[in-house]
Amino acid sequence: MYQFGFKKGHSTGLCTNILKHTVNYYSTHGSHVFLCFVDFSKAFDKVNYWKLLNMLLDDGISITLVGLLSFWFSHQEMCIKWNGVISGCFSVGNGTRQGGVLSPYLFSRYIRGLLQNVADSHIGCYIGCMAVNILAYADDIVILSLSWRGLQALIDKLLLCARSIDMACNARKTVCMVVNPQCRSRVISSSFPLFTLGSSQLQFVSSFRYLGHILTNTLSDNKDIQCEKKHVFSY
């Protein structure tokens, strides 16, 4: 539900549009919206085969198929070609194959629990009865809340869930943003304490390129439009 990647009829534009509409809804109704754009370090390469296979068994996938995948994963070998020279072969202990037909499904299944745990936390943004506190396109994830404490709690929860499946967040590339209420009288403060990811502090940004679209803390589309114009005239 919260994963927009690898699905027919879904796109980066759809994911970004839902994010913009959610933020705009709360901003126009007098709320701050706090966002965190999460970056994972080599997300696809850090998939733990055995944890993934157990997830598939929990889903009721055929033991025969899981056994086949187990044999396939445990007998993978790779080599490196550099300047026409090919190295010796070495075994690969984790990660999904780049370009593999099953890789998108397997990765989506691998992080499904992480997305669901954050969504089920009852913290953050809601539209009706549906939580819109986390959105993902493959490994590009954004979490959002209406309060500083709420977003920090979501960051802590996401970090805990990521560690449980051997994924690591990159604090240097993970950034936060604050969108103020459109009614100036509702603005609580012009500055907020830095969020923390484990022992690292996260930086605030006024704009961020998310899934190819430029998002700003003023909800202006000007930078995105200018970027698209440059692409058009560059052809």
Side-chain angles (χ1 to χ4, degrees), residues 6-229:
F6 317 125
K7 291 182 179 179
K8 185 178 181 180
H10 291 63
S11 65
T12 57
L14 178 60
C15 183
T16 307
N17 194 43
I18 290 176
L19 174 60
K20 283 185 174 181
H21 274 72
T22 302
V23 174
N24 184 66
Y25 172 83
Y26 281 105
S27 177
T28 55
H29 283 76
S31 295
H32 288 272
V33 184
F34 298 83
L35 304 96
C36 180
F37 300 93
V38 182
D39 183 86
F40 289 107
S41 300
K42 299 180 179 179
F44 294 90
D45 295 334
K46 291 189 176 180
V47 171
N48 183 308
Y49 295 153
W50 311 114
K51 290 184 178 182
L52 171 61
L53 294 174
N54 282 324
M55 293 175 186
L56 296 178
L57 289 173
D58 291 340
D59 291 344
I61 301 299
S62 165
I63 294 179
T64 302
L65 178 56
V66 175
L68 178 62
L69 290 174
S70 174
F71 179 85
W72 179 39
F73 286 143
S74 60
H75 288 77
Q76 286 188 112
E77 290 189 339
M78 295 183 66
C79 59
I80 298 173
K81 184 176 182 180
W82 181 262
N83 287 333
V85 179
I86 300 177
S87 73
C89 292
F90 54 90
S91 60
V92 180
N94 52 271
T96 55
R97 281 189 170 187
Q98 293 187 19
V101 176
L102 282 177
S103 295
Y105 167 77
L106 294 175
F107 183 78
S108 295
R109 176 59 188 93
Y110 193 66
I111 67 167
R112 189 173 74 192
L114 180 151
L115 301 179
Q116 198 62 55
N117 282 333
V118 173
D120 291 344
S121 65
H122 303 296
I123 302 171
C125 298
Y126 274 76
I127 299 296
C129 296
M130 180 178 176
V132 193
N133 57 359
I134 185 167
L135 298 170
Y137 193 94
D139 62 330
D140 289 308
I141 292 178
V142 57
I143 51 180
L144 51 160
S145 178
L146 304 180
S147 68
W148 188 96
R149 288 183 180 275
L151 186 63
Q152 184 61 64
L154 290 179
I155 293 172
D156 294 339
K157 189 169 190 64
L158 182 139
L159 181 60
L160 186 64
C161 293
R163 286 174 174 170
S164 71
I165 55 173
D166 301 332
M167 293 182 67
C169 298
N170 186 343
R172 291 181 299 174
K173 293 185 178 180
T174 297
V175 297
C176 299
M177 181 186 294
V178 182
V179 177
N180 290 328
Q182 294 185 19
C183 178
R184 292 186 178 181
S185 63
R186 295 293 188 93
V187 176
I188 298 172
S189 175
S190 59
S191 63
F192 294 90
L194 294 177
F195 291 99
T196 57
L197 180 67
S199 59
S200 302
Q201 291 186 320
L202 304 178
Q203 299 302 310
F204 283 108
V205 294
S206 59
S207 65
F208 184 77
R209 182 181 289 276
Y210 182 67
L211 303 178
H213 300 270
I214 299 176
L215 304 178
T216 69
N217 59 359
T218 62
L219 300 181
S220 171
D221 291 323
N222 290 341
K223 286 188 176 181
D224 209 18
I225 293 171
Q226 291 299 322
C227 183
E228 292 302 319
K229 283 183 178 179

